[in-house]
Structure formats: structure tokens, C-alpha cells
Amino acid sequence: MAENIVSNLFGIDPAALQQQRAVMDSNQAYRFAQLDPLQQATMSIYQGSAGLGRGVNQLLGGDEQLNKATKVRQLASQFDLATPDGLEQFAKAVAPIAPDVTQVAIQRANQIRTNISQRQTAELTQEKTRLDIASSQRRIEQDEKLREALAALPPNATEAQYLAVFRQFGSPDQQARVIQASMDRNAKLAAAQAEAGAVGTAGAVGKTGAYRDINGTVYGPTEMKTIRNEFKGSQDLLDTLNQITPQDVKNSESFIDWTTKSNEVKSLATKKTLTAQSKIALSQLMQQIESLPPGSASDADMRAAMKNFPGYSDPDALASWINDTKAKLERSIARSADQFGFKPTVRSTGRIDLKAKPATGVSTSDNDLINKYLTPTSQQGR
């Protein structure tokens, strides 16, 4: 097999080379027979010289081309030329004898590896497609079983029966949603039964984790978690805005938001501008708004407010934006406090009036502002 591969790949065959030379000798003999005696005598002298030269070559080591072909074939028989590794090993061994054969062997090895990789990729793609189809088919069959099982339930089926069907045929996501909904409904039902008619008093209902607002509406544990997070987030945001003074708004005036720049660029800003902008900290306000529960009233109001943030170039516009945002937060906090009986721990410090004179004894020097607001401190009043 190695002989066939060598012949096909490299075109080297000692037997074929000898046969080719025998044919050439036969052709020359035929032409010799067609010559007249004088021409034959002349040609005999030439052939004698050529024969002598061939004989000398054989005495000095033989025919170079024939020897090369023979050595290449002998080396090829020592390696598996049907594999990339075998071809590369053969290429390394044959390099001193036939560099041209080495190049062809390396190209062949690379081609075989490429073919193997392409075949494996195609097989993996086919297998993935097969698995995807099988998975989709299983989901379709499972959904069909779920529909059939639900349809088979009696009109007065209990919640336990519905849960049993979903546990048997529903997907993990379906099971989780149904079980959570069941827990919330049970909590509400238990709360309603335990506190029937208790309107006007807000608070926790028993040990179910449910909560009743001032109107008597009962909320499950999951709903109350979102409501409490909204209330806390609104207070945290209001507390941040309460720390901003009229002087901060004036000092922050700039066409550039320096807080978003690198330390090297920040060095170009004045100390009072950078200090004021760092205290207002638009990026911090955005993080607090992002923490509000999606879909809550405060979330919608604050996201709308952030779209209208005027920047730092106009102090009057910035003061107006802060005042409006604080008013929205106050209304949201008051609404939740009234409905659920929550006790606010943060209240608005009032509107920012840029025309008002600062209180006596309040320092507005750059160094005081830097020491007060750029040095990390724990929040007060918590």
C-alpha cells in the first residue's frame, strides 16, 4: 500500500524509471537499424561512449535518480502514509534525500487533517440538530400530555389536583410559577379568613408572610417584598438629594460632567466644581434608580425624571430638577406610608433656592467642601 501511495503522491517509481529507460534503449536500437553502415559505425562509437559513462556512474554509486527513488520508497514503507502523523514523520525522514517530496508530504498531511476536522464538525452539527429536534419533540409531547391531564380534571378539581398535574407533566419553570402562585393565593386566603372584615388597619397577617393594607387588600409575600424595596429605595434616593445644598448646585456649574472623566482629566477641573459634582453624583443617582423594583410607581417616575436631567451647565434648571424629583419622591413615600402603615425615616429638607443667602457660619471654601464630601463617611440618620 505504501508503494501505491508513494507513486500516486510523489510520482517516484524505480521500476517505472527502469522500464522507461529500457523503452528509450529499444527506440534507439530501432533507429540504429535504419542507418547505413557508415552511420551505424558512427553511432556505435557514440553509444559506446554513453555506455561507458553509465558504467562509470554505476561504479561510483549508481544512477542518482534511480537511487533517490529507491531510498524514498524504502523510507515510505516504514511509515503509515494514510495518517497525518505518519506523513509528517515520513516528511521529516525524507527531507535530507528529497526536499520536494517533503513539501508534498506536509501538504498531504495538512489536507487530511482539514478533511478530518470538517467531517467531525459536520457530524457534530448533525448530532446537535438531531438532539434539538428530539428535545423539541419531547417538549411538544409533554405539553400535549399536560393539556390532556388538565382537561381530564373534574370541574370542581382542587388546587392540590392541579398542582399534582403540573408536577407530573409541567416543565421546571411552569412548576415554579404554579407553586409560587399557589403559595401566594393560600397566604391571601388565610389572611382574608383570619382577618375578615378588618378594614382600616394595615399590618402583617398572622405568620403567613402576607400583609394587609389600610383598605383590607391582602398582598402575598412576593408582592410585599417588591413594595418594601420600592419604599426603601425611594427613601434612600430622597436622602441623597437632601444632602445637596444651593451652594453645591452653583459650584457644580460646568458644561462637562467631570465625575465621569479619568483622574488625569479631572485634574483640569476646579476643586469646587469637582467637589460639587461629586456630591450630586449623577452616576450614584442612576444606580439608586436602577435598584428600584421594575414597574413600581417610583420606578416609572424616577426613570422619567432621569431622562430630563438638565446636566450641570444651568444651575437654575438643575435646582428645579432636584426640587421636582424630591417632590415626586415625597408623594411616593407618603402614599406607601398611608396605604401600608410604613413609618418614613427620611423627610425632605425643603426646596433648593439659589437666591437665598447661606446661613451664617456655613463654610463654602474649597478645602472644607473637599474634606466634607470627598472623604468617605457613614450616612447619618439611618
Side-chain angles (χ1 to χ4, degrees), residues 200-204 211-215 217 219 224 227-228 231 235 332-345 347:
T201 303
Y211 199 91
R212 184 188 60 251
D213 70 4
I214 196 171
N215 300 314
T217 302
Y219 297 83
M224 282 310 303
I227 292 170
R228 287 192 175 93
F231 185 73
Q235 290 199 103
S332 175
I333 293 171
R335 184 168 57 246
S336 295
D338 292 341
Q339 182 177 356
F340 297 99
F342 297 156
K343 295 182 179 180
T345 57
R347 300 187 183 279

Side-chain angles (χ1 to χ4, degrees), residues 82-357:
T83 66
D85 291 340
L87 281 165
E88 289 176 348
Q89 293 168 3
F90 168 67
K92 184 177 180 180
V94 82
I97 302 171
D100 55 328
V101 173
T102 296
Q103 294 300 320
V104 176
I106 291 175
Q107 293 173 3
R108 176 61 177 169
N110 292 338
Q111 182 61 48
I112 291 177
R113 279 207 169 89
T114 300
N115 293 342
I116 293 174
S117 177
Q118 291 175 345
R119 183 170 63 253
Q120 291 175 341
T121 300
E123 291 173 353
L124 289 175
T125 301
Q126 291 176 356
E127 179 65 12
K128 183 179 183 302
T129 301
R130 185 187 68 78
L131 293 176
D132 289 343
I133 293 174
S135 178
S136 298
Q137 185 63 34
R138 285 195 297 271
R139 284 198 299 270
I140 293 173
E141 294 174 354
Q142 196 75 358
D143 288 343
E144 183 62 27
K145 291 179 181 178
L146 177 61
R147 285 192 291 268
E148 292 175 355
L150 291 174
L153 290 175
N156 59 344
T158 64
E159 184 171 356
Q161 289 175 302
Y162 278 101
L163 286 174
V165 170
F166 273 98
R167 285 193 176 98
Q168 183 176 2
F169 300 109
S171 67
D173 288 342
Q174 289 174 326
Q175 293 182 37
R177 289 196 299 270
V178 170
I179 292 173
Q180 184 61 56
S182 174
M183 292 173 59
D184 286 346
R185 282 195 299 271
N186 289 338
K188 289 182 180 180
L189 180 60
Q193 292 174 345
E195 304 289 338
V199 178
T201 303
V205 180
K207 298 182 179 180
T208 64
Y211 199 91
R212 184 188 60 251
D213 70 4
I214 196 171
N215 300 314
T217 302
V218 177
Y219 297 83
T222 302
E223 294 171 296
M224 282 310 303
K225 182 178 179 181
T226 299
I227 292 170
R228 287 192 175 93
N229 286 341
E230 177 188 357
F231 185 73
K232 180 180 182 304
S234 297
Q235 290 199 103
D236 290 343
L237 189 54
L238 179 59
D239 184 56
T240 299
L241 295 176
N242 278 342
Q243 309 305 316
I244 302 173
T245 67
Q247 192 63 45
D248 293 329
V249 175
K250 294 177 182 178
N251 291 344
S252 71
E253 182 177 1
S254 174
F255 287 100
I256 300 174
D257 182 355
W258 295 102
T259 63
T260 62
K261 306 302 180 182
S262 65
N263 291 333
E264 182 179 0
V265 176
K266 284 181 181 179
S267 64
L268 301 176
T270 63
K271 290 183 179 180
K272 70 175 184 180
T273 300
L274 179 58
T275 301
Q277 288 190 4
S278 298
K279 184 178 178 182
I280 296 174
L282 173 60
S283 59
Q284 179 182 346
L285 295 178
M286 285 297 297
Q287 290 177 0
Q288 289 183 283
I289 291 173
E290 289 293 336
S291 68
L292 292 174
S296 65
S298 296
D299 168 63
D301 287 344
M302 292 304 97
R303 290 183 188 279
M306 289 313 302
K307 291 181 179 179
N308 299 323
F309 185 80
Y312 299 106
S313 61
D314 186 343
D316 290 325
L318 178 57
S320 177
W321 180 86
I322 294 173
N323 291 333
D324 291 344
T325 303
K326 290 173 69 174
K328 290 178 180 178
L329 289 170
E330 282 186 288
R331 289 193 294 270
S332 175
I333 293 171
R335 184 168 57 246
S336 295
D338 292 341
Q339 182 177 356
F340 297 99
F342 297 156
K343 295 182 179 180
T345 57
V346 179
R347 300 187 183 279
S348 173
T349 55
R351 295 175 57 83
I352 289 181
D353 184 0
L354 298 184
K355 297 180 180 179
K357 295 182 179 180

